[in-house]
Amino acid sequence: MLTPLSRLATLAVLLTFASCITVIKPGKDFARNPEPEAPDYRMEDNWAALPDRRDSADLVPRHTLLHDQQRDAPADVFFVHPTTYFSRSQWNASLTDARVNRFTDASTIRKQASVFNSTARVYAPRYRQATLFSFFDEKSTNGKEALDLAYSDVKTAFQYYLDHYNQGRPVIIAGHSQGTFHATRLLREFFDQNPKLRKQLVAAYLIGYKVKPEEYQVLRPCDDSTQTGCYVGWNTVEWGHEYPPFQGGVAVNPLTWTRDTTTAPARLNLGGVPYTFSGVDKRVVDAKVHNGLVWIHPTVRPGYPRFLLPGRSELRHSFHIADYSLFYYNIRQNAEARVRAYRMFMHGG
């Protein structure tokens, strides 16, 4: 069985020997591909993580003192996972694809969603995610249609969560990459114009995708480490390099939780967690906000891979895959701090 890291390596090799990223382009148009069966969120199998069940979101990095505390957590997190489906067989993943589900659980649910398990009960739906090529489809509407279908599942799952699980509890919205693409829309459609739901929002972690400064009419980026009812986001790039697709987006420094351009030294980095999930690397990188990006001086420690896609040279300086892992301990501490601030505010101090 391929490990998560070896699956990514296999994809990289496949793309390296191809002329360009079109090697993972589905062979048929979206309209000619039968849609995978829609998920029924009454069924636990259609959730990658639920707080009252043993799953990958319960895990913590090995050889650390961290603990899963979902049983007594005062808040919830609704986590939308990034792309873990790279196939060219169809535009959207089937929820009955056991290989994709295993990869999702072992990679992003374990290594990203788990960051919140000290302060929030983790709810993470499986959904008919769009295949990776959807984000690079510039010549047709296929990619957009695949992403719209994926979002329809996320929206349905969130409504089910509100109706059956939330019970008025404070909630964090979080995602990465494709997950953030959908979570950004979820915030716009559910929270931005709804004062009741906004009152329940601790914060949103919109990481690994461009969130425009004018994205919302009411919701605003967070200005400090304890503000609530706001959102943060960043895209991690090697120091001194640009990435035009994400320039001009909202960038919050995950070491200071501010948007100013002051360099935050590595001593403020409480710890990154490498891809092996086997420990903590303290002071792993520094961070500086620059034109919608977060610049870092790359670490020499292994386990924080770059995002390498042949034919997409602009990505070679991106640490997209490591957006969470480079700042794992800071995100974990910040989620705890915002939940504490939210509870103090709601209870009048």
Side-chain angles (χ1 to χ4, degrees):
M1 182 185 300
L2 291 176
T3 66
L5 190 57
S6 63
R7 285 204 67 186
L8 287 174
T10 300
L11 174 66
V13 170
L14 175 65
L15 291 169
T16 298
F17 286 97
S19 58
C20 63
I21 198 172
T22 54
V23 69
I24 57 170
K25 177 183 177 180
K28 295 180 181 179
D29 285 344
F30 176 87
R32 294 179 57 206
N33 259 3
E35 291 182 4
E37 184 178 353
D40 179 350
Y41 289 107
R42 293 175 299 180
M43 299 176 61
E44 288 195 5
D45 285 351
N46 289 330
W47 294 84
L50 288 170
D52 297 324
R53 184 192 70 192
R54 292 188 65 180
D55 52 51
S56 294
D58 304 342
L59 301 175
V60 295
R62 297 189 300 278
H63 312 301
T64 69
L65 299 178
L66 302 183
H67 298 282
D68 171 46
Q69 300 180 67
Q70 290 182 74
R71 186 180 66 178
D72 302 314
D76 295 344
V77 60
F78 185 85
F79 180 84
V80 190
H81 71 74
T83 307
T84 55
Y85 175 65
F86 312 117
S87 176
R88 64 187 306 272
S89 62
Q90 55 189 18
W91 284 93
N92 294 84
S94 168
L95 270 68
T96 61
D97 189 326
R99 285 203 330 173
V100 171
N101 292 343
R102 284 195 299 269
F103 181 46
T104 301
D105 296 348
S107 58
T108 180
I109 302 302
R110 178 187 178 204
K111 299 168 185 178
Q112 292 179 337
S114 67
V115 78
F116 299 104
N117 69 21
S118 64
T119 196
R121 303 189 307 189
V122 184
Y123 295 87
R126 302 197 191 280
Y127 63 100
R128 290 173 293 178
Q129 58 177 295
T131 192
L132 179 62
F133 184 78
S134 301
F135 288 95
F136 301 93
D137 183 17
E138 300 166 348
K139 296 182 179 180
S140 77
T141 62
N142 291 319
K144 180 182 183 304
E145 290 176 281
L147 288 163
D148 283 345
L149 178 65
Y151 175 72
S152 71
D153 287 353
V154 173
K155 180 178 181 178
T156 299
F158 186 66
Q159 188 63 61
Y160 187 88
Y161 159 78
L162 288 177
D163 293 342
H164 296 89
Y165 293 133
N166 176 257
Q167 298 179 341
R169 287 164 56 87
V171 61
I172 295 168
I173 302 295
H176 184 247
S177 196
Q178 179 171 169
T180 287
F181 179 86
H182 301 312
T184 299
R185 184 172 173 182
L186 197 73
L187 281 175
R188 186 169 63 249
E189 294 185 5
F190 280 83
F191 289 85
D192 195 38
Q193 299 297 308
N194 186 326
K196 181 178 180 295
L197 271 183
R198 284 204 310 274
K199 191 176 181 180
Q200 291 178 241
L201 180 65
V202 175
Y205 292 79
L206 304 178
I207 301 168
Y209 205 81
K210 181 177 179 177
V211 182
K212 301 174 184 177
E214 67 277 12
E215 187 71 46
Y216 304 111
Q217 294 183 33
V218 179
L219 293 172
R220 293 290 179 264
C222 301
D223 290 320
D224 59 44
S225 62
T226 59
Q227 184 181 354
T228 59
C230 55
Y231 64 93
V232 301
W234 63 84
N235 291 281
T236 315
V237 175
E238 183 177 0
W239 198 282
H241 294 276
E242 308 289 346
Y243 182 47
F246 288 165
Q247 286 178 350
V250 171
V252 172
N253 190 319
L255 299 185
T256 63
W257 304 103
T258 63
R259 288 182 286 155
D260 64 53
T261 58
T262 303
T263 299
R267 62 180 172 78
L268 297 181
N269 193 311
L270 302 177
V273 173
Y275 202 84
T276 55
F277 212 59
S278 57
V280 55
D281 294 318
K282 294 183 178 180
R283 303 185 177 194
V284 66
V285 290
D286 54 5
K288 172 183 171 62
V289 170
H290 170 81
N291 194 20
L293 309 172
V294 167
W295 276 357
I296 63 164
H297 287 99
T299 179
V300 297
R301 297 169 186 167
Y304 305 93
R306 296 171 185 260
F307 191 33
L308 302 176
L309 287 179
R312 294 285 171 172
S313 60
E314 73 275 15
L315 289 171
R316 68 182 181 275
H317 301 294
S318 170
F319 283 86
H320 180 71
I321 296 171
D323 280 327
Y324 269 77
S325 58
L326 285 165
F327 309 106
Y328 189 97
Y329 271 62
N330 290 76
I331 300 170
R332 190 176 182 90
Q333 183 193 65
N334 183 251
E336 294 169 1
R338 291 191 198 274
V339 169
R340 283 196 303 270
Y342 177 93
R343 297 182 75 200
M344 288 182 64
F345 176 79
M346 294 302 293
H347 292 94

